[in-house]
Amino acid sequence: MRRMIYDELLKWKKSGTRKPLLLEGVRQCGKTYILKKFGEENYDDVAYFTFEDNPELSDVFRNNLDTKRITDRLGFMRAKKIEPEKTLLILDEIQLCGRALTSLKFFCENAPEYHVACAGSLLGVMLSKADSFPVGKVDRLKMFPMNFKEFLLAGSEDLLVEYIDNEDNISTEVLSEPVVTKLNTYLDYFFLIGGMPAAVASWNAERDIEKIDAILDAIIKDYRDDIANHSSENISKLTLIWGSIPIQLAKENNKFIFSHVKTGSRSRDLEDALEWLVNAGLVYKVKKVDPPEVPLSMFADNTSFKVYMADIGVLRRMAGMPPNFAFSKDKEYDRFRGAIMENFVLNEIVSSTKEIPYYWRSGSNAEIDFVAQINGRMVPIEAKAGNNKTKSLTEFIKKYDPKVAIITSERITGSSVVTYIPRYAVWSIADRLQRMQNNNGDR
C-alpha cells in the first residue's frame, strides 16, 4: 500500500541533520509495514527487531548504552553486520523498552552514521518508562489511519488521484458525471470501511463487508485491551467516554457534554480520562476558538470542545450502524451520515495539515464546523454535502473577513472568498490553498 508518509521518510533519509526517527501512531495504522517497505526500497539491507515478546532484545539495552556494543550485539543476533549508511535498523514496539528509547540519544550524539527508525504506539510512547526520553535527539513523525487518497491508491485508482491532484483541475472545471459518480461511490465505501490498513486490504482482496466488520471488531477489542493494560485512569471512565462519542457526534449540538457520558457525571470527574484518550491518539479534541485569529491556539477555549474518532470505520462500527446506511435514502440515518461526514472531513484535514483544527460558535444560531490555520492563514471550513453557503458562514465572513473559506461540496469552483472543494478531494486542502496563495499573491 502506498502511504503519504513515505515522502517524509525519504526526506528524513536524505537530511543532512538526520536524527534517529520515532514514528508514532495509533495501533494498527501501518507503522511497521511502511518502515519495512521504505527500508527494502531505499537501503541495501534492513535489520528488523521488535520488542514485543522478545526479552533477549531488551537485554541488549540493559547495561551500558554504547552504540558500538549495541550494533555489534544486534548484528550477532541476526548473523549479519549492521552497516552504517547501508542498513536501516528498525526497532519496533520501542515503547516496551525504556532503555532502548534512551539509547536514541546516544545514536544521535555518538553514531549519526547509523540510520535508526523506531515505531511505537502513541499510547505506549506516552507511558513508556524511559530513564531519559531523548528530547531534541530524535526526529518525530506521526502516522494516521489511511486517508481517502490512500484508500483510492490501495484500490489501484492512480488515475483518479492524479487527476484530483493536478493543479490544472482546481479551477471552475466540472468533472464528468461518470467520474463524480465513481468517486462518490468509493467515498461511500470508505465511510463503511475506514482507513485501518487491515480493513482496507481485506476489502480490496475480498469485498466482504462481514469480514471488514470482524476486523474492525478485533481492532476495537485490541484498543480496549490496550486501555485496560496501560491506563492508570479508571477503566470504566475511559470506556464510557469512548463509547459515548458516536452518540454525542450524532446530536444536533455535538459539543461534548460530560453529563451525557453518564447521568450525573461532572467534567472534573472525567476530564483526565478524556485527556488520556486524546494523548493515546484514539480521539481528537476540537476546541472552540473565539475570536478566530492567528495564532488560533492563543484563543482556544479549553472548556468548550467537540470530540471525534481517529478512524471513521471504527466510528461506524462502534455506533452499530449497518453497512447499508451509506447507500440508503432512509431519513433515520441522516444524523449519523452528517456525523460521519464531519468526522471524515476532520480526519482529512488532520492528515493534510498534521494539526488539529478548531471550531467556532456564536451563541446558539451560528457555527462553523472547523477553523484551521493553514499556511499562516485562518481558514473556516464547512463540512457540508450541498453547494450553498450557510448562514453561519455568511455571518463569519462578514464579521471576520477571512481571505478564503472552504465548503465541501459536489463541485470544484469558487468565488473571491469561498472555495468549494469536493468531499473526495479534501485530502488536498493544504496544497490547494498554497497554490491559490501562490497564484493570487498573499493578499
Side-chain angles (χ1 to χ4, degrees), residues 103-252:
S103 77
L104 301 182
K105 171 184 177 182
F106 300 99
F107 274 102
C108 175
E109 294 176 344
N110 304 329
E113 66 275 16
Y114 286 97
H115 290 219
V116 184
C118 309
S121 69
L122 282 170
L123 176 61
V125 171
M126 178 183 68
L127 298 172
S128 67
K129 304 298 183 182
D131 300 336
S132 175
F133 189 87
V135 177
K137 304 298 181 180
V138 293
D139 293 322
R140 301 179 76 165
L141 291 177
K142 187 179 291 186
M143 193 170 183
F144 307 96
M146 299 171 75
N147 66 9
F148 187 55
K149 177 178 182 176
E150 293 169 323
F151 179 78
L152 289 175
L153 290 172
S156 300
E157 292 291 351
D158 301 52
L159 291 179
L160 281 177
V161 170
E162 183 179 342
Y163 190 89
I164 293 172
D165 274 343
N166 191 323
E167 184 174 359
D168 294 334
N169 298 327
I170 66 171
S171 59
T172 58
E173 181 177 351
V174 178
L175 298 179
S176 66
E177 189 63 31
V179 173
V180 171
T181 299
K182 188 174 186 179
L183 283 166
N184 283 327
T185 299
Y186 272 120
L187 194 57
D188 286 338
Y189 287 139
F190 189 59
F191 286 173
L192 301 179
I193 299 158
M196 301 307 289
V200 174
S202 177
W203 174 253
N204 286 327
E206 303 186 61
R207 291 293 198 273
D208 187 335
I209 193 62
E210 289 187 3
K211 291 185 178 180
I212 301 300
D213 285 350
I215 290 170
L216 292 174
D217 287 344
I219 290 172
I220 292 168
K221 181 181 183 302
D222 287 346
Y223 284 164
R224 285 178 174 148
D225 289 345
D226 266 357
I227 289 172
N229 292 333
H230 290 104
S231 175
S232 60
E233 294 294 329
N234 185 293
I235 303 302
S236 63
K237 291 181 182 179
L238 290 166
T239 53
L240 282 171
I241 289 176
W242 199 38
S244 78
I245 294 171
I247 300 170
Q248 300 218 35
L249 277 178
K251 292 182 180 296
E252 187 171 348

Side-chain angles (χ1 to χ4, degrees), residues 174-400:
V174 178
L175 298 179
S176 66
E177 189 63 31
V179 173
V180 171
T181 299
K182 188 174 186 179
L183 283 166
N184 283 327
T185 299
Y186 272 120
L187 194 57
D188 286 338
Y189 287 139
F190 189 59
F191 286 173
L192 301 179
I193 299 158
M196 301 307 289
V200 174
S202 177
W203 174 253
N204 286 327
E206 303 186 61
R207 291 293 198 273
D208 187 335
I209 193 62
E210 289 187 3
K211 291 185 178 180
I212 301 300
D213 285 350
I215 290 170
L216 292 174
D217 287 344
I219 290 172
I220 292 168
K221 181 181 183 302
D222 287 346
Y223 284 164
R224 285 178 174 148
D225 289 345
D226 266 357
I227 289 172
N229 292 333
H230 290 104
S231 175
S232 60
E233 294 294 329
N234 185 293
I235 303 302
S236 63
K237 291 181 182 179
L238 290 166
T239 53
L240 282 171
I241 289 176
W242 199 38
S244 78
I245 294 171
I247 300 170
Q248 300 218 35
L249 277 178
K251 292 182 180 296
E252 187 171 348
N253 179 355
N254 56 8
K255 173 186 172 184
F256 191 85
I257 306 294
F258 281 106
S259 61
H260 291 174
V261 175
K262 185 180 180 181
T263 303
S265 297
R266 295 171 295 181
S267 60
R268 67 170 178 264
D269 298 325
L270 297 173
E271 57 189 8
D272 287 346
L274 175 59
E275 287 303 316
W276 190 95
L277 291 170
V278 171
N279 290 332
L282 295 174
V283 303
Y284 297 132
K285 185 177 180 180
V286 176
K287 301 175 185 176
K288 179 181 175 182
V289 62
D290 192 16
E293 298 177 5
V294 174
L296 296 176
S297 58
M298 287 188 62
F299 303 98
D301 181 353
N302 292 321
T303 66
S304 181
F305 52 86
K306 299 186 286 186
V307 180
Y308 298 85
M309 303 291 268
D311 178 69
I312 57 174
V314 171
L315 169 62
R316 194 266 303 175
R317 194 60 184 155
M318 287 182 62
M321 294 301 292
N324 69 322
F325 94 91
F327 306 97
S328 172
K329 302 300 181 183
D330 197 323
K331 290 188 176 181
E332 71 173 314
Y333 298 139
D334 283 354
R335 282 199 175 182
F336 185 75
R337 274 193 288 262
I340 206 165
M341 169 61 71
E342 199 170 313
N343 206 133
F344 161 75
V345 171
L346 170 69
N347 291 354
E348 298 291 292
I349 293 171
V350 172
S351 174
S352 175
T353 67
K354 305 298 187 292
E355 299 289 342
I356 309 297
Y358 301 82
Y359 82 99
W360 174 83
R361 178 176 289 149
S362 175
S364 59
N365 299 319
E367 178 177 324
I368 301 298
D369 295 322
F370 304 111
V371 181
Q373 186 171 318
I374 304 175
N375 304 328
R377 285 180 169 176
M378 176 270 290
V379 182
I381 302 169
E382 284 280 68
K384 306 299 181 187
N387 293 323
N388 298 320
K389 278 192 292 187
T390 65
K391 291 182 180 179
S392 294
L393 186 59
T394 300
E395 178 180 328
F396 187 95
I397 292 172
K398 183 178 180 179
K399 189 172 184 178
Y400 297 109

